[in-house]
Amino acid sequence: MVRKADLQKKKNDDEIEEGWVQCDACESWVHQICGLFNKGKNDQNVHYLCPKCLILGLETGQREGIRVRPQAMLEAKDLPQNNLSMLLEQRVNRKLEEDRQARAVQQGVPPWEVPTAEGLTIRVINNVIKKCEVKQKFYEAFRGDGYAEAFIYRQRVVILFQKIDGVDVALYCM
């Protein structure tokens, strides 16, 4: 149990810096989550390649498909799931399959001959409760109307990944 006296009073204006990692090939910077880089599992001898460089290497024949992933490189499916990510992933997959079936009927071919998006993974990578405090002058002006001093909200970050040629690429972030 945590005592109230042990808590620190904070405002919602704290800036928390998210980690970045630099690609060893192109030297561009990638957000650690988007690049599936696990700083906790990394040691100084492990090199990092961004998804763009990995795909370029595969296309040009400079790299082979990944058989054993480096310890610093997670796959999207390795990120923890929660109820929201499972629900979204199931719904997207179900809608894609329904679309595939409909296109197969329309084209008069079996469903397995109709291309569809594959290798999709959806994860919620941030899920925190925040408090937005109303500025004092604004609150004083509208207090009589029942305006709240603060608003509690939940912040979530959801990312859609797709495995392309063995590399998980972040397609969409919300």
Side-chain angles (χ1 to χ4, degrees):
M1 182 193 297
V2 178
R3 297 178 325 154
K4 185 175 180 180
D6 294 334
L7 298 176
Q8 292 180 345
K9 185 173 183 177
K10 293 197 169 217
K11 287 191 170 189
N12 67 335
D13 58 355
D14 289 347
E15 294 285 333
I16 299 172
E17 180 67 29
E18 296 288 338
W20 292 78
V21 61
Q22 187 174 27
C23 176
D24 291 329
C26 68
E27 298 185 355
S28 65
W29 288 90
V30 179
H31 187 246
Q32 287 181 3
I33 292 290
C34 298
L36 296 171
F37 179 81
N38 185 343
K39 186 172 94 174
K41 291 187 175 182
N42 189 25
D43 65 34
Q44 293 181 353
N45 300 324
V46 175
H47 298 285
Y48 175 76
L49 293 177
C50 68
K52 185 177 179 181
C53 288
L54 286 172
I55 290 174
L56 181 65
L58 290 169
E59 289 173 349
T60 60
Q62 294 174 331
R63 296 188 59 81
E64 293 182 21
I66 299 170
R67 289 181 182 83
V68 177
R69 298 189 76 78
Q71 67 179 14
M73 187 184 294
L74 294 173
E75 290 185 320
K77 65 181 171 79
D78 295 332
L79 296 171
Q81 282 188 304
N82 67 7
N83 290 337
L84 178 60
S85 65
M86 286 187 281
L87 176 75
L88 289 172
E89 198 169 299
Q90 289 168 358
R91 186 171 182 140
V92 166
N93 287 330
R94 185 177 68 244
K95 290 296 184 185
L96 285 170
E97 186 55 33
E98 289 172 6
D99 177 66
R100 185 182 208 180
Q101 297 287 337
R103 288 186 293 134
V105 169
Q106 185 181 37
Q107 297 172 13
V109 297
W112 59 86
E113 290 184 13
V114 178
T116 188
E118 295 177 343
L120 299 178
T121 302
I122 298 176
R123 292 295 185 267
V124 176
I125 61 162
N126 188 17
N127 185 9
V128 295
I129 295 175
K130 291 196 154 205
K131 179 178 171 182
C132 179
E133 294 181 356
V134 177
K135 300 292 182 191
Q136 188 64 32
K137 285 187 178 185
F138 192 87
Y139 176 69
E140 288 170 4
F142 293 99
R143 175 178 23 203
D145 297 335
Y147 204 81
E149 287 185 69
F151 295 92
I152 305 296
Y153 66 96
R154 181 175 296 275
Q155 174 185 306
R156 290 187 174 111
V157 177
V158 179
I159 298 186
L160 168 66
F161 295 96
Q162 184 175 23
K163 189 175 285 296
I164 301 173
D165 295 328
V167 178
D168 287 306
V169 179
L171 298 180
Y172 181 76
C173 179
M174 173 176 68

Coordinates of all heavy atoms in Angstrom, one line a residue, residues 23-28 49-66 164-169:
C23 N 19.8 4.1 -37.0 CA 20.2 3.0 -37.9 C 21.7 3.0 -38.2 O 22.2 4.0 -38.5 CB 19.4 3.1 -39.2 SG 19.7 1.8 -40.4
D24 N 22.3 1.8 -38.1 CA 23.7 1.7 -38.3 C 24.1 1.9 -39.8 O 25.2 2.2 -40.2 CB 24.3 0.4 -37.8 CG 24.3 0.3 -36.3 OD1 24.4 1.4 -35.7 OD2 24.1 -0.8 -35.7
A25 N 23.1 1.7 -40.7 CA 23.3 1.8 -42.1 C 23.1 3.2 -42.7 O 24.0 3.8 -43.3 CB 22.5 0.7 -42.9
C26 N 21.9 3.7 -42.5 CA 21.5 5.0 -43.1 C 21.7 6.2 -42.1 O 21.5 7.3 -42.5 CB 20.1 5.0 -43.7 SG 18.8 4.8 -42.5
E27 N 21.9 5.8 -40.9 CA 22.1 6.8 -39.8 C 20.8 7.7 -39.5 O 20.9 8.7 -38.9 CB 23.3 7.7 -40.1 CG 24.6 6.9 -40.1 CD 25.8 7.8 -40.2 OE1 25.7 9.1 -40.4 OE2 26.9 7.3 -40.1
S28 N 19.7 7.2 -40.0 CA 18.4 7.9 -39.7 C 18.0 7.5 -38.3 O 18.3 6.4 -37.8 CB 17.3 7.7 -40.7 OG 17.0 6.3 -40.7
L49 N 19.4 -2.1 -37.6 CA 19.0 -1.6 -38.9 C 17.5 -1.3 -38.9 O 16.7 -2.1 -38.4 CB 19.3 -2.7 -40.0 CG 20.7 -3.1 -40.2 CD1 20.9 -4.2 -41.2 CD2 21.5 -1.8 -40.7
C50 N 17.2 -0.2 -39.5 CA 15.8 0.3 -39.5 C 15.0 -0.6 -40.5 O 15.7 -1.3 -41.4 CB 15.7 1.7 -39.9 SG 16.2 2.1 -41.6
P51 N 13.7 -0.7 -40.5 CA 12.9 -1.5 -41.4 C 13.2 -1.2 -42.9 O 13.3 -2.0 -43.7 CB 11.5 -1.2 -41.0 CG 11.5 -0.9 -39.6 CD 12.8 -0.1 -39.4
K52 N 13.4 0.1 -43.2 CA 13.7 0.5 -44.6 C 15.0 -0.1 -45.1 O 15.0 -0.6 -46.2 CB 13.7 2.0 -44.6 CG 13.9 2.6 -46.0 CD 13.8 4.1 -46.0 CE 14.0 4.7 -47.4 NZ 14.0 6.1 -47.4
C53 N 16.0 -0.1 -44.3 CA 17.3 -0.6 -44.7 C 17.2 -2.2 -44.7 O 17.9 -2.8 -45.6 CB 18.4 -0.2 -43.7 SG 18.8 1.5 -43.9
L54 N 16.5 -2.8 -43.8 CA 16.3 -4.2 -43.9 C 15.6 -4.7 -45.2 O 16.1 -5.6 -45.9 CB 15.5 -4.7 -42.7 CG 16.2 -4.8 -41.3 CD1 15.2 -5.1 -40.2 CD2 17.3 -5.8 -41.4
I55 N 14.6 -4.0 -45.6 CA 13.8 -4.3 -46.8 C 14.7 -4.0 -48.0 O 14.8 -4.8 -49.0 CB 12.5 -3.5 -46.9 CG1 11.5 -4.1 -45.9 CG2 11.9 -3.6 -48.3 CD1 10.3 -3.3 -45.7
L56 N 15.4 -2.9 -48.0 CA 16.4 -2.6 -49.1 C 17.4 -3.7 -49.3 O 17.7 -4.1 -50.4 CB 17.0 -1.2 -48.9 CG 18.0 -0.7 -50.0 CD1 17.2 -0.5 -51.3 CD2 18.6 0.6 -49.6
G57 N 18.0 -4.1 -48.2 CA 19.0 -5.2 -48.2 C 18.4 -6.5 -48.8 O 19.1 -7.2 -49.5
L58 N 17.2 -6.8 -48.4 CA 16.5 -8.0 -49.0 C 16.3 -7.9 -50.5 O 16.5 -8.8 -51.2 CB 15.2 -8.3 -48.2 CG 15.3 -8.7 -46.8 CD1 13.9 -8.7 -46.1 CD2 15.9 -10.1 -46.7
E59 N 15.8 -6.7 -50.9 CA 15.5 -6.5 -52.3 C 16.8 -6.5 -53.2 O 16.7 -7.0 -54.3 CB 14.8 -5.2 -52.5 CG 13.4 -5.2 -52.0 CD 12.7 -3.8 -52.0 OE1 13.4 -2.8 -52.2 OE2 11.5 -3.8 -51.8
T60 N 17.9 -6.0 -52.7 CA 19.1 -5.9 -53.4 C 20.0 -7.2 -53.3 O 21.0 -7.3 -53.9 CB 20.0 -4.7 -53.0 OG1 20.3 -4.8 -51.6 CG2 19.2 -3.4 -53.3
G61 N 19.6 -8.1 -52.4 CA 20.3 -9.3 -52.2 C 21.5 -9.2 -51.3 O 22.3 -10.1 -51.1
Q62 N 21.6 -8.0 -50.7 CA 22.7 -7.8 -49.7 C 22.5 -8.5 -48.4 O 23.4 -8.7 -47.6 CB 23.0 -6.3 -49.5 CG 23.5 -5.6 -50.7 CD 23.5 -4.1 -50.4 OE1 22.8 -3.5 -49.6 NE2 24.4 -3.4 -51.1
R63 N 21.2 -8.8 -48.1 CA 20.8 -9.5 -46.9 C 19.9 -10.6 -47.2 O 19.2 -10.6 -48.2 CB 20.0 -8.5 -46.0 CG 20.8 -7.3 -45.5 CD 20.1 -6.6 -44.4 NE 19.7 -7.3 -43.3 CZ 20.5 -7.6 -42.2 NH1 21.7 -7.2 -42.3 NH2 20.1 -8.3 -41.2
E64 N 20.0 -11.6 -46.3 CA 19.0 -12.8 -46.4 C 17.9 -12.6 -45.4 O 18.1 -11.8 -44.5 CB 19.8 -14.1 -46.1 CG 20.8 -14.4 -47.2 CD 21.5 -15.8 -46.8 OE1 20.9 -16.6 -46.1 OE2 22.6 -16.0 -47.3
G65 N 16.8 -13.3 -45.6 CA 15.7 -13.2 -44.6 C 16.2 -13.6 -43.2 O 17.2 -14.4 -43.1
I66 N 15.6 -13.0 -42.3 CA 16.0 -13.2 -40.9 C 15.6 -14.6 -40.4 O 14.4 -14.9 -40.4 CB 15.4 -12.1 -40.0 CG1 15.9 -10.7 -40.4 CG2 15.8 -12.4 -38.5 CD1 15.2 -9.6 -39.7
I164 N 6.4 -7.4 -43.8 CA 6.7 -7.3 -45.2 C 8.1 -7.9 -45.4 O 9.1 -7.4 -44.9 CB 6.7 -5.9 -45.7 CG1 5.3 -5.3 -45.5 CG2 7.0 -5.8 -47.2 CD1 5.1 -3.8 -45.8
D165 N 8.2 -9.0 -46.2 CA 9.5 -9.7 -46.4 C 10.2 -10.0 -45.1 O 11.5 -9.7 -45.0 CB 10.3 -8.9 -47.4 CG 9.7 -8.8 -48.8 OD1 9.1 -9.8 -49.2 OD2 10.0 -7.8 -49.5
G166 N 9.5 -10.4 -44.1 CA 10.2 -10.7 -42.8 C 10.5 -9.6 -41.9 O 11.0 -9.7 -40.8
V167 N 10.1 -8.3 -42.3 CA 10.3 -7.2 -41.5 C 9.0 -6.6 -41.1 O 8.1 -6.3 -41.9 CB 11.1 -6.1 -42.3 CG1 11.4 -4.9 -41.5 CG2 12.5 -6.7 -42.7
D168 N 8.8 -6.3 -39.8 CA 7.6 -5.6 -39.3 C 7.7 -4.1 -39.6 O 8.6 -3.5 -39.1 CB 7.4 -5.9 -37.8 CG 7.0 -7.3 -37.5 OD1 6.0 -7.7 -38.1 OD2 7.7 -8.0 -36.7
V169 N 6.8 -3.6 -40.3 CA 6.8 -2.2 -40.7 C 5.5 -1.5 -40.0 O 4.4 -2.1 -40.1 CB 6.7 -2.0 -42.2 CG1 6.7 -0.5 -42.6 CG2 7.9 -2.7 -42.9

